[in-house]
Amino acid sequence: MSNNDICFPKIKLIVGLGNPEKNLLKTRHNVGYWYLDKFIEKYNTILSEDKKLNSLFCKIEHNEEQIFLVKPTFFINDSGKSISSFIKYYKILPESILVIHDDIDLDVGNVRLKFGGGHGGHNGLRDIINHMGKDYWRLRIGVGHPGKKELVHGHVLSNPSKHEELEINISINESFENINILLDGEYEKYTKILHTR
């Protein structure tokens, strides 16, 4: 059965992955945080810390429905702990979660939407899958591959070049222009828009 044959619920929780330390905020691993900041700016809101749920979060309203925005306060490799605590407390289904993260398998400037699947070597996704399974939405932000496996760790924990940063931000801004389509549950339509960039 393909994704097109399934009637998915609308997004109730949007998680931007990243590392909370200030010296890591501009690294490739933190593009999920960057993307979440677009929502915060659009809805003119701020995040509040919930230490029990290990999260910075707020609520926004889209077409009279509430959506949570979350930045886990654990390091990215332990993201699943934060998300698992949050969805258990607020009783949110994994199928209603959108996780925004960096992806080395996508070239810089590409953004793709995906439901389910493996972690692709991303330790944040690995931890999320370990805590709640693989059936959640991912918005994959391309940060490029350094060319060799042994260089990946340093690549994602370093800042992109000025040119790459510009390309990443352009891709984030352009995909965000149509974000209402995604929030309206039109996943196939949003996917096609991303592929025609």
Side-chain angles (χ1 to χ4, degrees):
M1 180 178 285
S2 70
N3 289 348
N4 298 342
D5 299 321
I6 305 170
C7 183
F8 287 103
K10 291 182 181 179
I11 299 297
K12 300 292 185 188
L13 169 62
I14 301 171
V15 181
L17 296 191
N19 286 309
E21 281 199 357
K22 286 185 177 180
N23 64 314
L24 296 174
L25 293 179
K26 293 184 178 180
T27 65
R28 294 176 177 89
H29 237 355
N30 273 54
V31 296
Y33 271 23
W34 302 2
Y35 206 107
L36 205 77
D37 288 340
K38 299 297 294 183
F39 285 97
I40 294 167
E41 181 183 347
K42 177 180 179 178
Y43 289 91
N44 192 27
T45 185
I46 57 172
L47 300 175
S48 300
E49 185 171 9
D50 189 321
K51 291 185 178 179
K52 289 183 180 178
L53 299 179
N54 304 295
S55 299
L56 294 169
F57 84 103
C58 66
K59 286 185 279 188
I60 60 172
E61 192 169 287
H62 175 74
N63 290 344
E64 300 181 353
E65 293 185 27
Q66 286 191 334
I67 300 172
F68 288 99
L69 304 179
V70 168
K71 288 182 181 180
T73 53
F74 279 133
F75 278 92
I76 197 166
N77 291 358
D78 294 317
S79 300
K81 293 179 184 177
S82 292
I83 299 172
S84 177
S85 298
F86 202 92
I87 66 173
K88 285 176 182 175
Y89 185 82
Y90 287 103
K91 298 179 174 59
I92 299 171
L93 296 173
E95 293 86 354
S96 298
I97 300 172
L98 175 69
V99 175
I100 307 172
H101 65 90
D102 60 298
D103 196 313
I104 60 170
D105 292 326
L106 288 178
D107 290 337
V108 171
N110 286 337
V111 178
R112 294 290 181 264
L113 181 68
K114 178 183 179 182
F115 182 81
H119 53 72
H122 193 295
N123 289 328
L125 298 185
R126 180 186 278 113
D127 195 59
I128 295 169
I129 290 170
N130 287 342
H131 279 86
M132 66 177 206
K134 62 182 182 179
D135 291 335
Y136 58 90
W137 289 97
R138 303 104 183 267
L139 193 62
R140 306 161 58 208
I141 313 299
V143 296
H145 198 288
K148 295 181 180 179
K149 186 177 181 181
E150 61 267 25
L151 299 177
V152 167
H153 181 75
H155 179 70
V156 297
L157 289 177
S158 61
N159 296 0
S161 68
K162 290 295 183 183
H163 175 71
E164 288 175 331
E165 184 180 351
L166 177 62
E167 288 295 310
I168 291 169
N169 279 313
I170 288 172
S171 70
I172 287 174
N173 290 337
E174 289 186 352
S175 62
F176 193 77
E177 286 176 4
N178 297 292
I179 204 68
N180 286 349
I181 293 171
L182 175 59
L183 299 184
D184 288 338
E186 297 186 68
Y187 301 108
E188 186 179 355
K189 183 178 179 181
Y190 186 72
T191 298
K192 289 179 178 177
I193 290 172
L194 294 180
H195 279 266
T196 55
R197 271 196 71 240

